[in-house]
Amino acid sequence: MAQQATKTRRKDRAREAFMLLMLSVVLVFGFGLIVGKQETSNLQQAEAVPRTSAEETSETESATEAIAVNAQPETETMPEFHQASSFRSAEPQIYLRVNHTKQMELICDPGVNLSEAIYGVSDENIAVVDEFGMITGVSRGECTVSVFCGTETLKVPVTVRELTVRDGCTYVDDILIANKSISLPEDYDPGMLPETAEAFEELQTAAAELGLNIYQGSGYRSYQYQITCYNSLVDAYGEEYANRVSAKPGHSEHQTGYTVDCNTINETFINTPEGQWLDKHCHEYGFIIRYPKGKEDITGYDYECWHIRYVGVEAATEIYEQGLTLEEYLDVTDVSNHYDEENEISSSEAEETAPDDEMQTGYEDENLYSSEETVYPEEMVLSETVLEETILSQYQETVPADAEDDGIEIIDAPLEAP
């Protein structure tokens, strides 16, 4: 009996302890609910009261610091860029030389704000671009400049070229250049280069298959021959006119060995089927119209539809398709009329140094419709007398109307294209 009573008391005490525990839990939970409601009420009241700017600033700084510590990159929220349709580059391909700069010119639709554009470059070892779109060449090669504006991106290929001087000749990426500001040495005398002659023969053959007759009117000219031609023009019509239609000694394209003057040395050539075909197809054989119409301020010379220059098919095609001059393609656009004082040779010196046969004819002997080159119809083989009369008549059409005839003999006047 005593044992039974002891067990009963133990059960009663355990039950009382459990009840006390449950009561404590209920009291704690209820107190928590009351406190939470009170804090919520206080917060609502605090938000209803206008805060001072100091308080707002303090809270903003605290939130910013928390974000800076805990934030993780959210690549999924980055904007998706699309190929630009509302703005474009004025130049589909940008060419510049090492250490030269060029401003990237963008054309945009109305309403597009390009002041917010961001520029980047694919390879800073080739070129760099600043925040304003100014590109600077670093080393020879190719890269891409990207422009980001809004959700649009524009990518423009950039070619950086390198100018080198070898034996007094100037090359840009291995393309020989001669113009009003870049000259060739007096002793540079390669004659008509084989690659030029071969490409011109292919061009002639292709034209002949269409019933067109394209022939060489003038080709290689030596430094001394240039002296004779240029000074005779200056003496007859003045330096200003001579500079528009003729190259100063050492600055002639014809001395490079890459140049051919085709058919009639006159602007009327473009109105012939041969002239029109040459204009549209000579690039397919590696030639360019060296002095195109509308680019006189860049080349420094009047338009010459007959004057073609060999640069290779790839370069010629790029130049043709983009409507460039050789100066633009090679980034050598300074064609001011300066040249070395040592190249200034008087007319009297020219007469002493020029060979007699060059003084008498409009072409150098090797360019006079030689039977070793191309056989032409009989009516095209002109005698020297007829040839000189033809040259004179062509040239009279191109000289200024107010030019005075002082009796000076003009030597190769219409043929002295640069």
Side-chain angles (χ1 to χ4, degrees):
M1 295 294 291
Q3 292 179 349
Q4 185 67 28
T6 301
K7 289 181 180 180
T8 301
R9 285 195 299 270
R10 288 178 179 175
K11 289 180 180 180
D12 291 339
R13 283 196 294 270
R15 188 180 296 112
E16 288 174 355
F18 177 78
M19 294 299 293
L20 287 173
L21 178 61
M22 294 301 295
L23 179 61
S24 298
V25 171
V26 170
L27 289 174
V28 171
F29 182 77
F31 180 78
L33 289 176
I34 294 171
V35 173
K37 290 182 178 180
Q38 183 62 38
E39 289 179 350
T40 302
S41 177
N42 293 340
L43 179 60
Q44 291 174 344
Q45 292 177 3
E47 290 176 347
V49 177
R51 292 176 293 179
T52 65
S53 59
E55 292 173 338
E56 293 177 347
T57 301
S58 178
E59 291 182 8
T60 301
E61 291 176 351
S62 299
T64 302
E65 292 175 357
I67 292 173
V69 172
N70 301 314
Q72 296 295 327
E74 298 183 3
T75 56
E76 64 274 11
T77 62
M78 291 294 289
E80 182 179 353
F81 285 94
H82 304 279
Q83 179 63 33
S85 59
S86 62
F87 64 95
R88 58 199 175 279
S89 174
E91 300 176 79
Q93 167 90 32
I94 294 176
Y95 302 97
L96 74 161
R97 287 194 287 120
V98 174
N99 296 326
H100 273 211
T101 60
K102 180 173 288 188
Q103 177 66 54
M104 189 175 188
E105 183 181 352
L106 298 176
I107 303 171
C108 62
D109 295 341
V112 178
N113 183 12
L114 288 176
S115 63
E116 300 176 355
I118 300 174
Y119 298 86
V121 65
S122 63
D123 190 344
E124 292 187 347
N125 293 318
I126 303 299
V128 293
V129 59
D130 66 13
E131 58 184 320
F132 304 108
M134 185 70 74
I135 306 170
T136 303
V138 176
S139 64
R140 179 175 175 177
E142 298 180 347
C143 61
T144 300
V145 168
S146 299
V147 186
F148 300 91
C149 186
T151 59
E152 293 184 300
T153 178
L154 174 69
K155 297 183 181 294
V156 180
V158 174
T159 298
V160 179
R161 305 192 185 285
E162 186 175 22
L163 184 149
T164 58
V165 178
R166 303 194 294 268
D167 298 326
C169 296
T170 303
Y171 298 84
V172 179
D173 279 12
D174 303 320
I175 296 180
L176 180 63
I177 180 72
N179 60 19
K180 285 196 171 182
S181 57
I182 300 175
S183 63
L184 297 169
E186 182 175 351
D187 59 355
Y188 182 74
D189 188 16
M192 179 66 78
L193 293 169
E195 54 265 45
T196 307
E198 182 179 348
F200 186 70
E201 183 178 354
E202 292 177 0
L203 182 150
Q204 282 183 305
T205 301
E209 291 175 355
L210 299 174
L212 303 174
N213 184 25
I214 295 179
Y215 54 92
Q216 177 179 302
S218 181
Y220 176 75
R221 297 177 190 162
S222 66
Y223 184 94
Q224 297 299 332
Y225 186 45
Q226 295 171 57
I227 294 173
T228 301
C229 296
Y230 178 76
N231 285 329
S232 64
L233 281 174
V234 171
D235 291 343
Y237 301 105
E239 186 174 3
E240 181 179 354
Y241 177 76
N243 288 339
R244 289 206 333 263
V245 301
S246 177
K248 293 176 179 177
H251 293 258
S252 174
E253 273 268 309
H254 285 272
Q255 191 183 349
T256 66
Y258 290 112
T259 296
V260 177
D261 279 347
C262 300
N263 295 38
T264 304
I265 315 302
N266 190 287
E267 279 192 29
T268 58
F269 176 57
I270 194 59
N271 299 323
T272 66
E274 284 79 3
Q276 294 176 18
W277 183 89
L278 188 73
D279 184 69
K280 293 179 174 59
H281 296 282
C282 69
H283 67 276
E284 298 170 5
Y285 305 91
F287 292 93
I288 60 171
I289 302 297
R290 182 64 178 90
Y291 306 113
K293 196 167 190 176
K295 299 279 190 172
E296 292 83 356
D297 59 329
I298 297 175
T299 64
Y301 294 107
D302 286 350
Y303 170 49
E304 295 187 359
C305 54
W306 61 85
H307 181 126
I308 59 175
R309 158 71 194 266
Y310 183 77
V311 292
V313 174
E314 181 179 352
T317 301
E318 290 182 3
I319 291 171
Y320 172 79
E321 291 179 347
Q322 297 180 37
L324 302 175
T325 62
L326 190 59
E327 278 76 15
E328 293 170 306
Y329 186 67
L330 302 180
D331 189 25
V332 286
T333 55
D334 178 16
V335 290
S336 55
N337 263 336
H338 65 273
Y339 70 111
D340 298 336
E341 292 294 329
E342 62 195 26
N343 289 332
E344 293 186 37
I345 303 179
S346 66
S347 299
S348 59
E349 292 175 316
E351 291 177 1
E352 294 175 1
T353 56
D356 293 338
D357 56 345
E358 291 186 358
M359 295 284 287
Q360 294 173 359
T361 67
Y363 303 98
E364 292 173 287
D365 286 348
E366 65 268 28
N367 294 324
L368 271 173
Y369 307 121
S370 170
S371 58
E372 298 178 0
E373 297 179 355
T374 305
V375 178
Y376 301 102
E378 183 176 351
E379 60 270 17
M380 294 186 60
V381 183
L382 306 179
S383 67
E384 183 175 294
T385 302
V386 174
L387 182 59
E388 291 177 348
E389 291 176 352
T390 303
I391 290 172
L392 182 59
S393 65
Q394 291 174 358
Y395 187 67
Q396 287 173 341
E397 295 175 2
T398 64
V399 298
D402 55 352
E404 297 181 0
D405 183 3
D406 55 6
I408 298 178
E409 180 183 3
I410 306 303
I411 304 168
D412 194 26
L415 299 180
E416 181 43 27

